Amino acid sequence: GIGVPTRVLVAGQTSQFLSHAFTYEPPMLTSVSPGNGPGTGSFILTIAGNAFGTDSAYQHAIRIAQTGISEIEWFSDSSLTCKVSAGTNVNHHISVDVGQQTVSLPNAISFDGPFITGLTPQVVPAKSGQFFTVLGLNFGFQTSRVSFGSNGKTCTSVTWTSESSVACIPPAGVGVEIPLSVTVDSQSYTKDPMFGYSGPEIASVTPNIGDTGGGQRLTLEGVHFGSLRESQLRKVFVGITEASNLEWVSDSYLEVTTRAGTGLSLPVIINVQQQVSQPSSRTIHNYIFQSSSSSDVSAPVSTIAGDRGRQDVMFSPTGVAVVSKR
């Protein structure tokens, strides 16, 4: 202690107390063990040093940042123990009060950082709006931040559920096998790959016929086409030919222009950052020759000459051919 009252005893006679006359050597901290503990806390910390007093009657106090401390026990002039509550972050100072004297040890103790064990669901719609739950350890106290991808996009909403669970709504996006990170204070953990968006699906292509010279404007409707910012990552193909003038309207609607080509029942597919839609009978395009005088795009007529004479071929809007002989 400091400022301890002092009196003198001589031949059985005692002087009056002299206040604030004497101060003991201040306590000293040399080490703590363990130097790292789980974020959930509930572990026993041993503090080594000297001048902790001669018994437990001294008022001992221990502080570690905002972390709760309980069950302080005095063992000797050089050893104290305490129970540490849950905490986060690294390199915390620890302070010990003995009497009215305080001593600190810098960078004495750290808590384990976040760790990811799982994610559910692992795939969300490209337009997002859907929660996913990150499972793991040491997610702190309602201060977790969830980010993902090489550019560190963060969730639009994060709901801390527990030390082992955080719910998150990611922004709209595209792609698969995306790294996922959880940050608590200054500590981060990244798991790769972990997360992905649903791939594109085309429900319809209209019209499904066009001139071999190209220039036909096509409308694609479906889901998971992504957002406007993925424009450079999105391509539409008619057969093996990439369409031009792609215009994104929404996650479920876009338009393109066909290039010159030939062939019937060609699959129309969309590729969004290496995620490719599956072709179907509803997502085809037919190239037909159309004379310059024809004004009916929905029912163009082609004339085919063969061994059995000349035939007119008409394509209806559904792509069905009607053949008549001449």
Side-chain angles (χ1 to χ4, degrees), residues 39 100 107 111-112 139 198-199 215 234-235 237 257 307:
Q100 297 178 348
N107 304 322
F111 291 94
D112 293 338
F139 288 167
S198 300
R234 188 168 32 239
K235 296 180 180 180
F237 292 85
T257 301
D307 295 339

Side-chain angles (χ1 to χ4, degrees), residues 10-314:
V10 178
Q13 292 180 302
T14 305
S15 70
Q16 292 183 339
F17 277 105
L18 181 62
S19 62
H20 307 291
F22 182 78
T23 296
Y24 286 96
E25 287 286 339
M28 178 181 294
L29 303 183
T30 57
S31 65
V32 300
S33 179
N36 198 91
T40 51
S42 297
F43 61 93
I44 299 299
L45 183 71
T46 298
I47 303 169
N50 55 56
F52 292 162
T54 56
D55 57 47
S56 58
Y58 288 90
Q59 294 181 342
H60 297 96
I62 300 173
R63 297 184 299 279
I64 302 175
Q66 304 300 316
T67 302
I69 300 296
S70 62
E71 301 180 20
I72 298 174
E73 292 191 35
W74 176 92
F75 279 90
S76 70
D77 181 66
S78 60
S79 180
L80 297 171
T81 65
C82 65
K83 187 175 183 179
V84 181
S85 300
T88 62
N89 222 335
V90 297
N91 298 328
H92 292 292
H93 293 17
I94 184 168
S95 298
V96 175
D97 295 344
V98 180
Q100 297 178 348
Q101 294 175 295
T102 300
V103 63
S104 295
L105 184 65
N107 304 322
I109 185 169
S110 299
F111 291 94
D112 293 338
F115 181 79
I116 299 173
T117 59
L119 177 68
T120 179
Q122 291 188 326
V123 178
V124 299
K127 66 179 180 180
S128 191
Q130 176 181 321
F131 270 103
F132 65 75
T133 300
V134 185
L135 305 174
L137 302 169
N138 305 318
F139 288 167
F141 315 100
Q142 305 185 29
T143 59
S144 301
R145 181 171 64 88
V146 181
S147 61
F148 42 92
S150 58
N151 59 357
K153 292 188 296 184
T154 57
C155 287
T156 57
S157 175
V158 176
T159 301
W160 182 89
T161 307
S162 71
E163 180 272 339
S164 60
S165 177
V166 176
C168 166
I169 299 179
V174 297
V176 294
E177 298 186 346
I178 300 170
L180 181 70
S181 298
V182 172
T183 300
V184 179
D185 292 332
S186 65
Q187 296 174 285
S188 294
Y189 179 82
T190 300
K191 196 171 181 66
D192 181 17
M194 192 66 187
F195 168 76
Y197 291 95
S198 300
E201 299 176 19
I202 302 175
S204 65
V205 178
T206 54
N208 66 356
I209 54 175
D211 190 78
T212 54
Q216 176 67 55
R217 198 66 176 160
L218 303 182
T219 296
L220 281 64
E221 295 185 78
V223 291
H224 311 314
F225 292 168
S227 62
L228 181 60
R229 64 172 171 265
E230 284 92 26
S231 295
Q232 301 302 316
L233 307 174
R234 188 168 32 239
K235 296 180 180 180
V236 172
F237 292 85
V238 179
I240 61 173
T241 304
E242 182 181 352
S244 63
N245 300 325
L246 190 153
E247 181 182 354
W248 178 92
V249 178
S250 72
D251 176 72
S252 59
Y253 187 101
L254 57 83
E255 296 181 357
V256 295
T257 301
T258 61
R259 300 182 189 272
T262 59
L264 304 177
S265 298
L266 299 177
V268 178
I269 61 172
I270 178 172
N271 183 325
V272 183
Q273 197 170 352
Q274 308 308 313
Q275 290 181 283
V276 181
S277 64
Q278 294 297 313
S280 73
S281 59
R282 301 186 307 276
T283 60
I284 61 173
H285 184 72
N286 300 283
Y287 280 108
I288 54 89
F289 174 76
Q290 180 178 333
S291 65
S292 59
S293 61
S294 174
S295 60
D296 185 3
V297 178
S298 64
V301 177
S302 294
T303 300
I304 302 175
D307 295 339
R308 299 184 179 180
R310 298 169 65 84
Q311 298 176 331
D312 289 338
V313 182
M314 176 181 294

